[in-house]
Amino acid sequence: MVYEKIEVNYHEASETLKKLLNLKGSPVAIRFAPTKADIPAGIPELDKTIRHCSMVNLARMEGKIFYAPAEKHECNGGAWSLGLKPITPSLKNGEFYFKLGKFDSDAACKRTIERIPHLDTGETYATMYAPLEKTPFSPQIILIVTTPRNMLKLAQSSLFRLGGRIHAEFSGIQSVCADATAQTYHSGQPNFSLGCDGSRRFSGIGDDEMVMGFPAEMLPELVTALPIVLGAAGSK
């Protein structure tokens, strides 16, 4: 028996999501490159040092296609969760977020950091980004930033075929990097996040928006189910 991979028309899928959900910008395709040789020819390196969430925004709102090695990642927490850099001592021991006033104690912060989803350090040489409709690589993760109402419809669409429950994981920090990207990569399940202070400040996520990450393998299923869910008699 010969296994045939399902071919996905990313342009059509992206345009369907954008139209049905009236998205601001595009869904964002993301892929981890273990080595430089894994980056397709013609994809440029990002020409500035910014955060992962800001990189997502470049692809989402400006249509940029690029890759970013470790030295182009400004946020140490994000770079660590994506497997690009080792965790810093102040992040590991809880001091970093404790000083920002996010936790009552460094112990509370440390308990949270110990549960942050992350790739093993050194597992990633670079992260790649593109608006989904123009992606020159096969994505592993797809991110969508949109309203809670749209997230409801995406959640319902992800349960349309098999049903069940969605178990969202987030902690109010490292939402776009850890929650939506690393967590989704590890679990193979969609994850919904409320965003975090850093991503809302630096990546253009609006006060009326949330973040969803889902494995690229789910794309055909979501695109098929979404118009049915939106058109259902009980849909608002």
Side-chain angles (χ1 to χ4, degrees), residues 38-46 65-68 128-130 135-137:
D38 294 303
I39 300 170
I43 298 181
E45 180 177 336
L46 184 63
I65 301 171
F66 58 92
Y67 75 90
M128 295 186 283
Y129 306 82
T135 182
F137 54 82

Side-chain angles (χ1 to χ4, degrees), residues 136-164:
F137 54 82
S138 178
Q140 293 167 317
I141 304 297
I142 297 170
L143 299 189
I144 292 180
V145 177
T146 189
T147 62
R149 185 264 183 187
N150 281 343
M151 291 301 186
L152 166 64
K153 297 307 168 187
L154 287 166
Q156 291 171 336
S157 297
S158 69
L159 296 178
F160 179 74
R161 185 168 62 91
L162 296 177

Side-chain angles (χ1 to χ4, degrees), residues 15 50 69 89 92 100 108 114 130 141 153 163 187 210 212-213 220-221:
E15 293 304 317
I50 55 176
K92 186 174 183 179
L100 291 179
E114 287 175 348
I141 304 297
K153 297 307 168 187
S187 71
M210 296 171 55
M212 176 195 187
E221 182 176 333

Side-chain angles (χ1 to χ4, degrees), residues 51-58 60-61 145 175-176 196-206 209 211:
R51 300 162 182 258
H52 166 73
C53 52
S54 299
M55 297 176 190
V56 169
N57 195 51
L58 284 180
R60 176 194 172 208
M61 301 304 291
V145 177
S175 67
V176 180
C196 60
D197 294 311
S199 62
R200 291 189 178 280
R201 182 178 300 134
F202 296 106
S203 68
I205 298 174
E209 294 178 316
V211 187

Side-chain angles (χ1 to χ4, degrees), residues 37-103:
D38 294 303
I39 300 170
I43 298 181
E45 180 177 336
L46 184 63
D47 60 359
K48 53 188 172 182
T49 301
I50 55 176
R51 300 162 182 258
H52 166 73
C53 52
S54 299
M55 297 176 190
V56 169
N57 195 51
L58 284 180
R60 176 194 172 208
M61 301 304 291
E62 299 184 28
K64 299 291 181 66
I65 301 171
F66 58 92
Y67 75 90
E71 60 269 21
K72 294 300 174 67
H73 281 259
E74 180 180 11
C75 174
N76 287 323
W80 163 64
S81 68
L82 299 172
L84 292 150
K85 296 180 182 179
I87 189 170
T88 60
S90 67
L91 193 63
K92 186 174 183 179
N93 65 22
E95 179 184 5
F96 178 76
Y97 283 112
F98 178 60
K99 284 186 173 181
L100 291 179
K102 301 290 179 66
F103 296 91

